[in-house]
Amino acid sequence: MIEHRYDLHCHSTASDGALAAADVVQRAHEHGVTVLALTDHDTTTGLAAAHAQADVLGMQLIDGVELSTTWQKQCFHVIGLGINPQHPALAQTLRDAQIIRYERAKKIAEKLEKKRIFGAFEAVSAAAGADGMITRTHFANFLFAQGIVHSQQEAFDHYLAKGKAAYISTSASAWTALEQAIQLIHSAGGIAVLAHPLRYSLKAKQLHRLLTAFKDAGGQGIEVVTGRCTAEEIKIASNYAKQFGLLASVGSDFHSPSNQWVELGRLAPLPEGVESVFSRLL
Ligand code: AMP
Ligand code: MN
Ligand code: MN
Ligand code: MN
């Protein structure tokens, strides 16, 4: 029996990754991954090229997406694994998200102009490409390239994070509601997994309420092992998986080789006692 190595969360240039989809697959292969899910933010346009490369390498590529959703006015990321990218309602939601992102980008650029930083919209829309998804990462890269900040992190800390000078809230209503996103993933044949549950800065009680709502809406899994998590965080997330009867997923959330902390396939094993999402995918 083949010992599989899974990585079920990563990004390409189809959203805010640094590598083209085929190069993400190639790099995953080189890092020993045998089952990869490409999960770009609100887009599936990288999947065709990813499949072509996975076929060359004899790797298994799961069709994935990371949907931006809202629940109680906050943004949460829900991963769809094994979705049909052609599903009409899902495809429509992704087209809507592209417009939301385009409009938000114009507003972010206007806020930067008030700080006398010009040319951001032109730069990020060119970087994202004609049918690309404009993300805050694109703005962070622009601010870094301009020498306005010394790192991507500083771009978020000073300009792009919630409450900072160029932050535009999309939380009020723009993104798909959490419950609807789960439904969409189901109707497109996929499994809905709550991404990086410990990265939303929620207090235990709020996280409990989120997981209750997620489970009630038909959500099936949560990420237990993510790119830069501690042993303690794995323990906490696996306890939530058990408590809420959710499948455990594993994904690096790889974006770029320049982030030395997060690499494809470099993931801790799932702890004992959780049921993994793997058997549902193969
Ligand atoms: P968006 O979906 O356009 O709001 O952008 C969110 C993306 O920005 C996330 O998926 C991360 O890749 C990135 N991001 C968010 N917060 C940070 C941060 N503090 N440092 C670096 N990247 C971040
Ligand atoms: Mn991202
Ligand atoms: Mn995410
Ligand atoms: Mn991600």
Side-chain angles (χ1 to χ4, degrees):
M1 212 176 85
I2 308 169
E3 184 78 14
H4 278 300
R5 189 183 293 188
Y6 295 83
D7 191 333
L8 302 176
H9 185 164
C10 65
H11 297 271
S12 75
T13 49
S15 64
D16 60 349
L19 302 180
D23 297 332
V24 174
V25 174
Q26 180 68 40
R27 191 177 178 93
H29 178 70
E30 285 162 11
H31 283 83
V33 175
T34 58
V35 184
L36 180 74
L38 180 66
T39 56
D40 274 305
H41 296 287
D42 305 307
T43 182
T44 57
T45 57
L47 293 175
H51 271 292
Q53 188 62 22
D55 288 348
V56 169
L57 299 167
M59 262 176 79
Q60 184 155 357
L61 195 273
I62 309 279
D63 286 318
V65 69
E66 183 173 13
L67 294 181
S68 307
T69 79
T70 49
W71 183 75
Q72 304 210 337
K73 299 188 176 173
Q74 206 183 323
C75 183
F76 296 98
H77 288 175
V78 180
I79 302 268
L81 295 175
I83 45 132
N84 168 14
Q86 264 89 45
H87 185 272
L90 177 63
Q92 183 60 51
T93 297
L94 302 185
R95 281 193 294 275
D96 293 346
Q98 189 178 29
I99 296 165
I100 292 168
R101 286 183 170 281
Y102 184 87
E103 296 300 329
R104 182 182 66 157
K106 282 199 273 192
K107 290 182 193 156
I108 293 174
E110 281 167 20
K111 286 214 164 183
L112 288 172
E113 281 179 15
K114 293 201 175 111
K115 297 276 164 195
R116 308 204 57 74
I117 297 168
F118 299 99
F121 183 75
E122 292 70 19
V124 296
S125 43
D131 55 21
M133 282 294 182
I134 309 176
T135 70
R136 282 185 290 162
T137 307
H138 292 95
F139 281 97
N141 292 343
F142 165 78
L143 292 168
F144 178 64
Q146 294 289 303
I148 294 162
V149 292
H150 298 101
S151 67
Q152 207 185 59
Q153 186 60 50
E154 196 183 313
F156 278 92
D157 293 347
H158 290 182
Y159 294 97
L160 302 168
K162 191 171 181 179
K164 303 299 172 185
Y167 179 72
I168 296 290
S169 169
T170 33
S171 62
S173 61
W175 303 123
T176 313
L178 178 82
E179 296 84 352
Q180 199 189 336
I182 293 166
Q183 283 308 312
L184 269 173
I185 290 168
H186 286 173
S187 47
I191 296 172
V193 173
L194 182 70
H196 40 68
L198 303 182
R199 235 194 278 157
Y200 300 111
S201 313
L202 297 180
K203 296 196 180 87
K205 204 170 170 183
Q206 293 171 302
L207 184 52
H208 207 276
R209 287 179 46 240
L210 168 67
L211 290 169
T212 303
F214 181 77
K215 176 77 182 177
D216 285 351
Q220 291 135 297
I222 55 169
E223 287 184 338
V224 166
V225 177
T226 67
R228 224 187 145 176
C229 63
T230 63
E232 179 62 20
E233 286 167 338
I234 293 174
K235 209 163 120 190
I236 294 168
S238 66
N239 282 338
Y240 281 122
K242 285 186 257 185
Q243 187 183 348
F244 287 87
L246 293 162
L247 301 167
S249 189
V250 162
S252 63
D253 205 3
F254 173 84
H255 281 75
S256 165
S258 67
N259 181 348
Q260 58 176 318
W261 307 106
V262 176
E263 184 52 85
L264 287 158
R266 200 203 286 156
L267 289 156
L270 278 174
E272 296 287 317
V274 292
E275 190 184 348
S276 82
V277 75
F278 306 154
S279 61
R280 314 293 172 100
L281 297 171
L282 299 178

